[in-house]
């Protein structure tokens, strides 16, 4: 009986595995499985269509930028870029995606309320099975706090280095004075 039970379990597992394989091989953000999977990410996620318009975002993406899904679906991400020169940078990156180039970069974007947010973006082009361009898949990490911390550490390091230089100069001066005093005492003892 145990061989029959094991065979049945193996058959069930194979069927489930095949079902999962079909889901994974034909990604569709509208699929509840994918929505749950993408919303479980700690990072923001977006999917852009071939024209560069947002067609799907996860909850973390919306939380990071302060928008609702209705506000961003159909929007071009460059509309959320903080600086004009970054918009040109972004458009160049989008062009590279169509050529099959994946990469990551840091860019400053606009929160819905207007304040800047620094993001690390990892972008990968998507292609259909026939090789036609499908769009872009991106992961977004809010690195604003990390950059603020780096800046505070840099400033603290500069301040500490300045203190060390000042203290070293003071100690040299004190050492020089002590050496002179010792020489004067030796001469006075003669």
């Amino acid at each position: 009986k145990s061989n029959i039970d094991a065979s049945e379990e193996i058959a069930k597992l194979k069927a489930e595995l095949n079902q999962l394989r079909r889901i994974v091989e034909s990604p569709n953000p509208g699929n509840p499985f994918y929505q749950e999977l993408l919303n479980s990410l700690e990072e923001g996620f977006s999917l852009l269509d071939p024209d560069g318009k947002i067609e799907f975002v996860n909850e973390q993406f919306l939380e990071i930028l302060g928008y609702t899904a209705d506000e961003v679906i159909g929007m071009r991400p460059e509309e959320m870029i903080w600086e004009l020169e970054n918009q040109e940078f972004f458009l160049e990156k989008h062009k590279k995606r169509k050529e099959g180039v994946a990469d990551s970069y840091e860019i400053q974007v606009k929160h819905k309320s207007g304040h800047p947010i620094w993001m690390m973006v990892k972008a990968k082009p998507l292609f259909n099975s026939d090789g036609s361009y499908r769009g872009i898949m991106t992961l977004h990490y809010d690195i604003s706090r990390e950059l603020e911390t780096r800046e505070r550490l840099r400033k603290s390091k500069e301040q500490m280095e300045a203190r060390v230089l000042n203290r070293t100069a003071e100690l040299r001066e004190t050492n020089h004075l002590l050496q002179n005093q010792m020489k004067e005492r030796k001469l006075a003892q003669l």
Side-chain angles (χ1 to χ4, degrees):
K1 288 184 176 181
S2 64
N3 284 343
I4 294 173
D5 291 341
S7 295
E8 287 176 11
E9 283 297 313
I10 290 172
K12 285 180 186 177
L13 288 172
K14 283 183 178 179
E16 289 176 14
L17 183 61
N18 286 333
Q19 182 181 8
L20 284 173
R21 188 174 287 134
R22 281 191 301 277
I23 290 171
V24 169
E25 289 174 354
S26 59
N28 174 1
N31 179 315
F33 171 80
Y34 275 103
Q35 286 183 353
E36 186 175 332
L37 176 68
L38 295 172
N39 284 327
S40 71
L41 295 174
E42 291 182 20
E43 303 83 12
F45 175 87
S46 66
L47 186 62
L48 280 60
D49 69 15
D51 295 323
K53 293 181 182 175
I54 297 172
E55 64 180 28
F56 177 83
V57 293
N58 70 352
E59 293 170 2
Q60 289 70 16
F61 178 93
L62 299 171
E63 185 178 317
I64 291 168
L65 293 169
Y67 289 91
T68 66
D70 290 338
E71 291 172 313
V72 296
I73 301 299
M75 178 189 274
R76 293 180 178 278
E78 61 267 22
E79 296 174 39
M80 292 183 268
I81 304 292
W82 187 255
E83 299 288 335
L84 186 58
E85 62 268 13
N86 286 342
Q87 289 180 356
E88 294 168 12
F89 168 83
F90 180 83
L91 292 172
E92 182 62 31
K93 291 287 186 184
H94 185 75
K95 184 178 171 185
K96 293 282 188 189
R97 299 292 164 264
K98 291 181 178 182
E99 298 169 5
V101 178
D103 71 351
S104 59
Y105 52 91
E106 294 178 2
I107 193 163
Q108 197 174 36
V109 297
K110 255 189 287 193
H111 187 275
K112 180 181 177 182
S113 67
H115 69 273
I117 298 173
W118 276 99
M119 295 187 92
M120 165 66 75
V121 178
K122 292 185 178 187
K124 181 180 188 292
L126 299 172
F127 295 91
N128 294 315
S129 58
D130 65 0
S132 61
Y133 180 65
R134 162 70 180 90
I136 303 170
M137 172 181 69
T138 59
L139 288 174
H140 308 265
Y141 306 85
D142 182 351
I143 59 170
S144 300
R145 286 189 197 129
E146 181 182 327
L147 291 178
E148 289 170 7
T149 301
R150 275 193 230 161
E151 181 61 19
R152 281 196 307 273
L153 287 172
R154 185 190 64 74
K155 286 180 181 178
S156 293
K157 180 183 174 198
E158 286 176 0
Q159 291 171 350
M160 190 60 69
E161 287 173 348
R163 287 181 189 162
V164 167
L165 290 174
N166 286 339
R167 186 66 179 142
T168 301
E170 289 172 2
L171 291 172
R172 280 189 186 132
E173 180 64 29
T174 302
N175 186 39
H176 182 68
L177 291 173
L178 288 173
Q179 285 177 350
N180 286 340
Q181 287 176 0
M182 288 173 53
K183 285 180 188 176
E184 288 175 7
R185 285 187 186 155
K186 282 184 181 179
L187 289 175
Q189 289 176 350
L190 294 174

